[in-house]
Amino acid sequence: MIALPKNIEFVEVGPRDGFQNIKEFIPTQTKLAVIEKMIAAGVRTMEVTSFVHPKAIPQMVDAAEVAKAIVANYQDHGLKAMALVPNLTGAKKAYECGIKEVTYVISASEKHNMANINRTREQSLADLQGITAEMPDLKIRIGVATSFGCPFLGKVDYDLVLSLIEAVVGYGVDSIILCDTIGIANPKQVSELVTAVKEKFKNIRLGLHLHDTRGMGLANTLAGLEAGVTIFETSVGGLGGCPFAPGAAGNTASEDMINMLHAMDIATGVDLDQYLEAVKIVREQIQPVLTGHMAYACKYGNV
Amino acid sequence: MIALPKNIEFVEVGPRDGFQNIKEFIPTQTKLAVIEKMIAAGVRTMEVTSFVHPKAIPQMVDAAEVAKAIVANYQDHGLKAMALVPNLTGAKKAYECGIKEVTYVISASEKHNMANINRTREQSLADLQGITAEMPDLKIRIGVATSFGCPFLGKVDYDLVLSLIEAVVGYGVDSIILCDTIGIANPKQVSELVTAVKEKFKNIRLGLHLHDTRGMGLANTLAGLEAGVTIFETSVGGLGGCPFAPGAAGNTASEDMINMLHAMDIATGVDLDQYLEAVKIVREQIQPVLTGHMAYACKYGNV
């Protein structure tokens, strides 16, 4: 029989990874409305924005405004408000807004790191050193992009992932998120890589950031759960992750994952009915057709 | 690590379960074109049609024509051409067309059996007895509808499934397909029910017919694989299974499942590139937006 945990840390990344993939600017008030509805539903860890250069991603031009509003109202009331930062400059900006934990992304694939954030892995690691030196009380999670596959390399060798983790653990990082950046992972691969990482690094907290591009989002989630992963990052409505055609999926939808976990008696801390109200705002005010499933299906138990 | 089989029996049900959910009549030649393209791709077990009363499902008015054409051209060349039959009359019609194996559906839930085929479980079993008596050389698979959930009962007790299997095994049936008729199953439930069935009935061949309504199609497939299931029924493009809104999924898409299985080195006998040509016909000539994922994503390995 399947061995499953009793609970997981659910990380909502829609306001960062979802919104940044929407071309038309989403009014700041709409962003805040979605975020606040999710907090009301019980979400306790959330990437609320991304401190990237607004020339690179104009959608995130209001990063400071969003971060400050959420930090002011919710950070001392149980919310872990996180932000993604691509470099030292971004980390400083996040820190100035009161963000206490950031996701810092480095690609396992050198070529993808260059394409994504225009620097080598070594340069990214040097910036990581700068962040830990300048802001020693800022907590850092490392998102290992292209952990399973890369647009340039194809399948990514496990060694590339392991060597990157080894380097960041050297800077005191203890939380690692393996990201399936292009939605190419399969459950066997998830099981193998997670097992390899856990065997080599016994004291890290391990998470997965999975896409549903090929329909395997929840299958990979299941493989991760069985292999002992306890942190899962997903996006409201399935927003983000570069869907490239009508009907094509991006990130695994938070509501789909929450529904599956609850059906298997795994606690997330979220009230799904309330969460679906946030999905409704997204569907009505941002993207009419969502790639997640629970926007269209009744939840488990309500048949 | 995940324990997985080396191969499975892939059963294409799109020409039956997919087509029957399309309201507008699909020209017989289009049906045959899709079927023939799938055979060319390597599909070796397929429900090619359904012998239901055309008043109930007008789409299946050409059942005999489709069945005869495929039987004449392919049945002696490696194809197991199957049909769904809801009763003795349907079984006789299938048999007269040269079909050698049928799927006979009975619901675990009495209420759903009444709603679906207007008879009690006992009446369905009496017809099954009639089929085995009148056509002893016709092979029969039992599709156990509502194995995991029912629109009337909610969650279905495992005992209702086990008692139905016990009854049909008494008529010599040795192949059982557990059907997630409303797409409500979760991986833990799949694992538990499959394990219970396999423990009680050691000599049957066990299959799963899974929907993707809530995004769990492939996660449930994975749970089934791990629990020892060797037959999987899916539908081209994800057609069928009553999707009820744009973006809502029905059956698990064959191409999504094949892609996942191949990525995990599980053989299906199908050439995915060729199979995707059948998906293309479906998309261009039947339903422009498909709920499966691989109609929009490149296959594993081609990144």
mmCIF file with all atom_site columns, all heavy atoms in Angstrom, chain B residues 133-144:
data_model
loop_
_atom_site.group_PDB
_atom_site.id
_atom_site.type_symbol
_atom_site.label_atom_id
_atom_site.label_alt_id
_atom_site.label_comp_id
_atom_site.label_asym_id
_atom_site.label_entity_id
_atom_site.label_seq_id
_atom_site.pdbx_PDB_ins_code
_atom_site.Cartn_x
_atom_site.Cartn_y
_atom_site.Cartn_z
_atom_site.occupancy
_atom_site.B_iso_or_equiv
_atom_site.pdbx_formal_charge
_atom_site.auth_seq_id
_atom_site.auth_comp_id
_atom_site.auth_asym_id
_atom_site.auth_atom_id
_atom_site.pdbx_PDB_model_num
ATOM 1  N N   . ALA B 1 133 ? -24.459 -18.275 -21.837 1.00 0.00 ? 133 ALA B N   1
ATOM 2  C CA  . ALA B 1 133 ? -25.163 -19.487 -22.261 1.00 0.00 ? 133 ALA B CA  1
ATOM 3  C C   . ALA B 1 133 ? -25.324 -19.516 -23.781 1.00 0.00 ? 133 ALA B C   1
ATOM 4  O O   . ALA B 1 133 ? -25.087 -20.545 -24.433 1.00 0.00 ? 133 ALA B O   1
ATOM 5  C CB  . ALA B 1 133 ? -26.529 -19.570 -21.581 1.00 0.00 ? 133 ALA B CB  1
ATOM 6  N N   . GLU B 1 134 ? -25.709 -18.393 -24.367 1.00 0.00 ? 134 GLU B N   1
ATOM 7  C CA  . GLU B 1 134 ? -26.002 -18.371 -25.807 1.00 0.00 ? 134 GLU B CA  1
ATOM 8  C C   . GLU B 1 134 ? -24.754 -18.261 -26.675 1.00 0.00 ? 134 GLU B C   1
ATOM 9  O O   . GLU B 1 134 ? -24.739 -18.717 -27.821 1.00 0.00 ? 134 GLU B O   1
ATOM 10 C CB  . GLU B 1 134 ? -26.941 -17.198 -26.125 1.00 0.00 ? 134 GLU B CB  1
ATOM 11 C CG  . GLU B 1 134 ? -28.346 -17.401 -25.548 1.00 0.00 ? 134 GLU B CG  1
ATOM 12 C CD  . GLU B 1 134 ? -29.374 -16.506 -26.242 1.00 0.00 ? 134 GLU B CD  1
ATOM 13 O OE1 . GLU B 1 134 ? -29.178 -16.166 -27.433 1.00 0.00 ? 134 GLU B OE1 1
ATOM 14 O OE2 . GLU B 1 134 ? -30.354 -16.157 -25.573 1.00 0.00 ? 134 GLU B OE2 1
ATOM 15 N N   . MET B 1 135 ? -23.719 -17.579 -26.135 1.00 0.00 ? 135 MET B N   1
ATOM 16 C CA  . MET B 1 135 ? -22.494 -17.382 -26.946 1.00 0.00 ? 135 MET B CA  1
ATOM 17 C C   . MET B 1 135 ? -21.276 -17.778 -26.132 1.00 0.00 ? 135 MET B C   1
ATOM 18 O O   . MET B 1 135 ? -20.490 -16.925 -25.719 1.00 0.00 ? 135 MET B O   1
ATOM 19 C CB  . MET B 1 135 ? -22.401 -15.911 -27.384 1.00 0.00 ? 135 MET B CB  1
ATOM 20 C CG  . MET B 1 135 ? -23.514 -15.486 -28.331 1.00 0.00 ? 135 MET B CG  1
ATOM 21 S SD  . MET B 1 135 ? -23.777 -13.688 -28.378 1.00 0.00 ? 135 MET B SD  1
ATOM 22 C CE  . MET B 1 135 ? -24.794 -13.462 -26.934 1.00 0.00 ? 135 MET B CE  1
ATOM 23 N N   . PRO B 1 136 ? -21.135 -19.078 -25.883 1.00 0.00 ? 136 PRO B N   1
ATOM 24 C CA  . PRO B 1 136 ? -20.061 -19.503 -24.962 1.00 0.00 ? 136 PRO B CA  1
ATOM 25 C C   . PRO B 1 136 ? -18.655 -19.160 -25.445 1.00 0.00 ? 136 PRO B C   1
ATOM 26 O O   . PRO B 1 136 ? -17.738 -19.095 -24.622 1.00 0.00 ? 136 PRO B O   1
ATOM 27 C CB  . PRO B 1 136 ? -20.272 -21.023 -24.861 1.00 0.00 ? 136 PRO B CB  1
ATOM 28 C CG  . PRO B 1 136 ? -21.127 -21.388 -26.013 1.00 0.00 ? 136 PRO B CG  1
ATOM 29 C CD  . PRO B 1 136 ? -21.944 -20.195 -26.360 1.00 0.00 ? 136 PRO B CD  1
ATOM 30 N N   . ASP B 1 137 ? -18.492 -18.921 -26.747 1.00 0.00 ? 137 ASP B N   1
ATOM 31 C CA  . ASP B 1 137 ? -17.142 -18.581 -27.223 1.00 0.00 ? 137 ASP B CA  1
ATOM 32 C C   . ASP B 1 137 ? -16.894 -17.073 -27.264 1.00 0.00 ? 137 ASP B C   1
ATOM 33 O O   . ASP B 1 137 ? -15.813 -16.629 -27.679 1.00 0.00 ? 137 ASP B O   1
ATOM 34 C CB  . ASP B 1 137 ? -16.889 -19.199 -28.605 1.00 0.00 ? 137 ASP B CB  1
ATOM 35 C CG  . ASP B 1 137 ? -17.897 -18.727 -29.634 1.00 0.00 ? 137 ASP B CG  1
ATOM 36 O OD1 . ASP B 1 137 ? -19.039 -18.378 -29.240 1.00 0.00 ? 137 ASP B OD1 1
ATOM 37 O OD2 . ASP B 1 137 ? -17.553 -18.691 -30.832 1.00 0.00 ? 137 ASP B OD2 1
ATOM 38 N N   . LEU B 1 138 ? -17.864 -16.280 -26.833 1.00 0.00 ? 138 LEU B N   1
ATOM 39 C CA  . LEU B 1 138 ? -17.651 -14.826 -26.769 1.00 0.00 ? 138 LEU B CA  1
ATOM 40 C C   . LEU B 1 138 ? -16.956 -14.481 -25.448 1.00 0.00 ? 138 LEU B C   1
ATOM 41 O O   . LEU B 1 138 ? -17.470 -14.777 -24.373 1.00 0.00 ? 138 LEU B O   1
ATOM 42 C CB  . LEU B 1 138 ? -19.013 -14.095 -26.835 1.00 0.00 ? 138 LEU B CB  1
ATOM 43 C CG  . LEU B 1 138 ? -18.948 -12.563 -26.841 1.00 0.00 ? 138 LEU B CG  1
ATOM 44 C CD1 . LEU B 1 138 ? -18.306 -12.030 -28.127 1.00 0.00 ? 138 LEU B CD1 1
ATOM 45 C CD2 . LEU B 1 138 ? -20.348 -11.968 -26.663 1.00 0.00 ? 138 LEU B CD2 1
ATOM 46 N N   . LYS B 1 139 ? -15.775 -13.887 -25.559 1.00 0.00 ? 139 LYS B N   1
ATOM 47 C CA  . LYS B 1 139 ? -15.060 -13.498 -24.333 1.00 0.00 ? 139 LYS B CA  1
ATOM 48 C C   . LYS B 1 139 ? -15.695 -12.240 -23.743 1.00 0.00 ? 139 LYS B C   1
ATOM 49 O O   . LYS B 1 139 ? -16.141 -11.360 -24.480 1.00 0.00 ? 139 LYS B O   1
ATOM 50 C CB  . LYS B 1 139 ? -13.584 -13.208 -24.642 1.00 0.00 ? 139 LYS B CB  1
ATOM 51 C CG  . LYS B 1 139 ? -12.753 -14.463 -24.796 1.00 0.00 ? 139 LYS B CG  1
ATOM 52 C CD  . LYS B 1 139 ? -11.253 -14.133 -24.729 1.00 0.00 ? 139 LYS B CD  1
ATOM 53 C CE  . LYS B 1 139 ? -10.424 -15.355 -25.087 1.00 0.00 ? 139 LYS B CE  1
ATOM 54 N NZ  . LYS B 1 139 ? -9.022  -15.031 -25.336 1.00 0.00 ? 139 LYS B NZ  1
ATOM 55 N N   . ILE B 1 140 ? -15.688 -12.180 -22.440 1.00 0.00 ? 140 ILE B N   1
ATOM 56 C CA  . ILE B 1 140 ? -16.356 -11.061 -21.762 1.00 0.00 ? 140 ILE B CA  1
ATOM 57 C C   . ILE B 1 140 ? -15.420 -10.425 -20.740 1.00 0.00 ? 140 ILE B C   1
ATOM 58 O O   . ILE B 1 140 ? -14.803 -11.115 -19.929 1.00 0.00 ? 140 ILE B O   1
ATOM 59 C CB  . ILE B 1 140 ? -17.635 -11.546 -21.041 1.00 0.00 ? 140 ILE B CB  1
ATOM 60 C CG1 . ILE B 1 140 ? -18.600 -12.171 -22.054 1.00 0.00 ? 140 ILE B CG1 1
ATOM 61 C CG2 . ILE B 1 140 ? -18.313 -10.381 -20.306 1.00 0.00 ? 140 ILE B CG2 1
ATOM 62 C CD1 . ILE B 1 140 ? -19.755 -12.916 -21.414 1.00 0.00 ? 140 ILE B CD1 1
ATOM 63 N N   . ARG B 1 141 ? -15.310 -9.092  -20.841 1.00 0.00 ? 141 ARG B N   1
ATOM 64 C CA  . ARG B 1 141 ? -14.697 -8.310  -19.763 1.00 0.00 ? 141 ARG B CA  1
ATOM 65 C C   . ARG B 1 141 ? -15.811 -7.583  -19.041 1.00 0.00 ? 141 ARG B C   1
ATOM 66 O O   . ARG B 1 141 ? -16.702 -7.041  -19.690 1.00 0.00 ? 141 ARG B O   1
ATOM 67 C CB  . ARG B 1 141 ? -13.760 -7.232  -20.309 1.00 0.00 ? 141 ARG B CB  1
ATOM 68 C CG  . ARG B 1 141 ? -12.498 -7.755  -20.859 1.00 0.00 ? 141 ARG B CG  1
ATOM 69 C CD  . ARG B 1 141 ? -11.571 -6.623  -21.266 1.00 0.00 ? 141 ARG B CD  1
ATOM 70 N NE  . ARG B 1 141 ? -10.460 -7.278  -21.930 1.00 0.00 ? 141 ARG B NE  1
ATOM 71 C CZ  . ARG B 1 141 ? -9.317  -6.706  -22.257 1.00 0.00 ? 141 ARG B CZ  1
ATOM 72 N NH1 . ARG B 1 141 ? -9.139  -5.430  -22.002 1.00 0.00 ? 141 ARG B NH1 1
ATOM 73 N NH2 . ARG B 1 141 ? -8.367  -7.387  -22.849 1.00 0.00 ? 141 ARG B NH2 1
ATOM 74 N N   . ILE B 1 142 ? -15.729 -7.530  -17.758 1.00 0.00 ? 142 ILE B N   1
ATOM 75 C CA  . ILE B 1 142 ? -16.727 -6.769  -17.012 1.00 0.00 ? 142 ILE B CA  1
ATOM 76 C C   . ILE B 1 142 ? -16.151 -5.399  -16.644 1.00 0.00 ? 142 ILE B C   1
ATOM 77 O O   . ILE B 1 142 ? -15.095 -5.317  -16.008 1.00 0.00 ? 142 ILE B O   1
ATOM 78 C CB  . ILE B 1 142 ? -17.156 -7.511  -15.726 1.00 0.00 ? 142 ILE B CB  1
ATOM 79 C CG1 . ILE B 1 142 ? -17.801 -8.852  -16.076 1.00 0.00 ? 142 ILE B CG1 1
ATOM 80 C CG2 . ILE B 1 142 ? -18.119 -6.633  -14.904 1.00 0.00 ? 142 ILE B CG2 1
ATOM 81 C CD1 . ILE B 1 142 ? -19.125 -8.747  -16.812 1.00 0.00 ? 142 ILE B CD1 1
ATOM 82 N N   . GLY B 1 143 ? -16.864 -4.376  -17.063 1.00 0.00 ? 143 GLY B N   1
ATOM 83 C CA  . GLY B 1 143 ? -16.543 -3.022  -16.611 1.00 0.00 ? 143 GLY B CA  1
ATOM 84 C C   . GLY B 1 143 ? -17.399 -2.722  -15.396 1.00 0.00 ? 143 GLY B C   1
ATOM 85 O O   . GLY B 1 143 ? -18.625 -2.674  -15.503 1.00 0.00 ? 143 GLY B O   1
ATOM 86 N N   . VAL B 1 144 ? -16.747 -2.568  -14.247 1.00 0.00 ? 144 VAL B N   1
ATOM 87 C CA  . VAL B 1 144 ? -17.492 -2.270  -13.016 1.00 0.00 ? 144 VAL B CA  1
ATOM 88 C C   . VAL B 1 144 ? -17.620 -0.756  -12.895 1.00 0.00 ? 144 VAL B C   1
ATOM 89 O O   . VAL B 1 144 ? -16.693 -0.071  -12.428 1.00 0.00 ? 144 VAL B O   1
ATOM 90 C CB  . VAL B 1 144 ? -16.805 -2.863  -11.772 1.00 0.00 ? 144 VAL B CB  1
ATOM 91 C CG1 . VAL B 1 144 ? -17.628 -2.550  -10.517 1.00 0.00 ? 144 VAL B CG1 1
ATOM 92 C CG2 . VAL B 1 144 ? -16.617 -4.369  -11.928 1.00 0.00 ? 144 VAL B CG2 1
#
